Amino acid sequence: MDLPIIDLDLFLTKPHDSLEVKAECQKAAKALITYGALVLHDSRVSESDNTSFLDLLEDYFAQPEEDLKRDERPELSYQIGVTLENTEKPKCAVDEPCLKVIERLAPDQRPLDITAHDPDPKCRFFWKMVENPPYETKFPGLNAANIVPDAEHIKTRWESTMNQWGSSMKNAVEGLTEMLAVGLQLPEETFRSAGRYGPHLLAPTASDLTKHGAKDTILAGFHTDLNFLTIHGRSRYPGLHIWARNTGRRIPVKIPPGNHLLVQAGKQLEHITGGLIKAGFHEVVVNEATIGVIEKRKQEFPDRPLVRISSTFFWHLSSDYDLAPIESCVQKARELRAEQFNLGRDEGDEVVYEPMKVGEQVQSELKHIALMA
């Protein structure tokens, strides 16, 4: 996988005005502009924390559906607790600009066909990792309290495991927001302060591979994320593909072992940079590599549930923050668009990023994916 690796350790340990740190920050910004994604190295991240997290979530999603349903909150647009399979729809299945993105890709680089795709056969759990704002939010439904599952063998491990791994990913991505701001020649705190009270979500996704383990099954259809940055730890099962903005190539994700995380740009980052950084398209499917790992897990861990858990964290801007493009980024976005056009890369119709509250942007996106009425 040819994504750039960004060293957060440099930023955390060296003077921020040093040439070395500035160069690494510029590299981070360039990676997100070029690919919509990067690999982040952070030596504070522990593989054992990710392992404990994956074990816990496999056990949770192996429970009977009636037990899972107790943790469902459709009245809160599924923004806390569990979302069961066949609930969330890939926005791109009916979204015209998104379908045009697929059309512009070379036929051999396109995602699996989602035009007739039903809602995704994946489950999800949302666990908030927030600092409560010192003001009354206009979007209480997006900022509701967490749910702890009832089952004793899960409950006793739940909060400590979720908070430990969630904090690792949150700390990593917040460091990256500062690097990105520096790389874009903005004040270091620009994005971090805008997201201080964001409804950040540790958001593991689960796919039952005993039911949905056939080759070319779409577990999560081609889409972008609605938040600011998405950060992933390593899953036990391959199948995540991302698309590089600069080439339109489909890239199978392989996060290096050790202290590495995958980061992708989301819609809030696209909006605030006026399209200079585009939200990264991705899908999760069952491919030959997935099937190989399924067979290996069956032999090596016959007593473990065959559930693919994505180790995912959604970092948001604060719901009440005024989301509007930053003018210096808008100018660079125009220049980049012209460059791309001159290279024969059509990026489609120019997007107008209207000013709005972040909470309004989130609610609009949730309606598109059938999580909000």
Side-chain angles (χ1 to χ4, degrees), residues 33-34 97 100-101 104 245-246 270 273-278 328-353:
I33 291 166
T34 305
K100 285 183 176 176
V101 168
R104 291 195 296 270
R245 174 187 184 177
N246 64 326
E270 178 175 328
T273 62
L276 174 62
I277 296 170
K278 293 276 194 183
S328 61
C329 293
V330 172
Q331 186 54 43
K332 289 174 190 166
R334 288 196 189 108
E335 292 165 8
L336 178 62
R337 186 178 168 80
E339 277 175 35
Q340 292 285 88
F341 186 79
N342 290 337
L343 291 168
R345 296 182 188 135
D346 178 11
E347 294 202 321
D349 297 336
E350 191 163 358
V351 179
V352 177
Y353 298 96

Side-chain angles (χ1 to χ4, degrees), residues 32-201:
L32 287 170
I33 291 166
T34 305
Y35 297 94
L38 55 80
V39 173
L40 187 66
H41 175 260
D42 180 357
S43 60
R44 300 171 302 175
V45 171
S46 160
E47 189 73 32
S48 64
D49 288 344
N50 190 31
T51 298
S52 300
F53 171 78
L54 295 174
D55 286 343
L56 174 65
L57 270 297
E58 284 178 359
D59 291 341
Y60 174 78
F61 283 106
Q63 295 181 105
E65 187 173 307
E66 57 267 26
D67 292 348
L68 296 176
K69 260 190 118 42
R70 291 191 199 119
D71 300 333
E72 204 176 28
R73 297 293 184 274
E75 71 278 11
L76 294 171
S77 306
Y78 301 95
Q79 291 306 287
I80 52 163
V82 79
T83 306
L84 295 180
E85 61 183 52
N86 301 319
T87 302
E88 185 176 330
K89 295 178 180 176
K91 177 182 172 183
C92 287
V94 293
D95 184 62
E96 192 177 341
C98 193
L99 292 172
K100 285 183 176 176
V101 168
I102 296 172
E103 280 175 24
R104 291 195 296 270
L105 294 170
D108 65 342
Q109 298 298 317
R110 287 176 187 166
L112 290 184
D113 185 15
I114 54 169
T115 51
H117 180 50
D118 293 323
D120 289 333
K122 68 171 191 276
C123 302
R124 177 173 268 156
F125 198 100
F126 277 167
W127 178 257
K128 289 274 167 59
M129 301 283 304
V130 300
E131 181 181 344
N132 291 321
Y135 51 82
E136 191 171 337
T137 177
K138 295 190 174 87
F139 304 94
L142 301 178
N143 294 271
N146 275 324
I147 292 167
V148 177
D150 284 335
E152 203 57 38
H153 72 293
I154 291 164
K155 190 178 190 175
T156 52
R157 296 180 283 156
W158 188 263
E159 289 193 64
S160 60
T161 303
M162 297 292 273
N163 289 334
Q164 179 68 29
W165 183 236
S167 295
S168 289
M169 291 206 284
K170 185 171 186 268
N171 290 338
V173 77
E174 287 183 340
L176 180 63
T177 65
E178 294 183 335
M179 291 186 77
L180 174 60
V182 172
L184 293 174
Q185 297 178 300
L186 300 169
E188 188 176 292
E189 283 289 318
T190 299
F191 301 131
R192 186 167 186 157
S193 62
R196 179 173 177 182
Y197 305 115
H200 314 301
L201 292 164

Side-chain angles (χ1 to χ4, degrees), residues 336-372:
L336 178 62
R337 186 178 168 80
E339 277 175 35
Q340 292 285 88
F341 186 79
N342 290 337
L343 291 168
R345 296 182 188 135
D346 178 11
E347 294 202 321
D349 297 336
E350 191 163 358
V351 179
V352 177
Y353 298 96
E354 299 287 356
M356 64 181 73
K357 293 284 186 187
V358 169
E360 293 169 340
Q361 176 261 342
V362 171
Q363 289 174 341
S364 170
E365 293 282 338
L366 290 176
K367 287 171 186 172
H368 279 297
I369 57 177
L371 294 185
M372 178 179 269

Side-chain angles (χ1 to χ4, degrees), residues 260-278:
H260 292 93
L261 300 159
L262 173 75
V263 181
Q264 289 177 281
K267 280 288 185 183
Q268 290 169 11
L269 178 51
E270 178 175 328
H271 198 121
I272 204 169
T273 62
L276 174 62
I277 296 170
K278 293 276 194 183

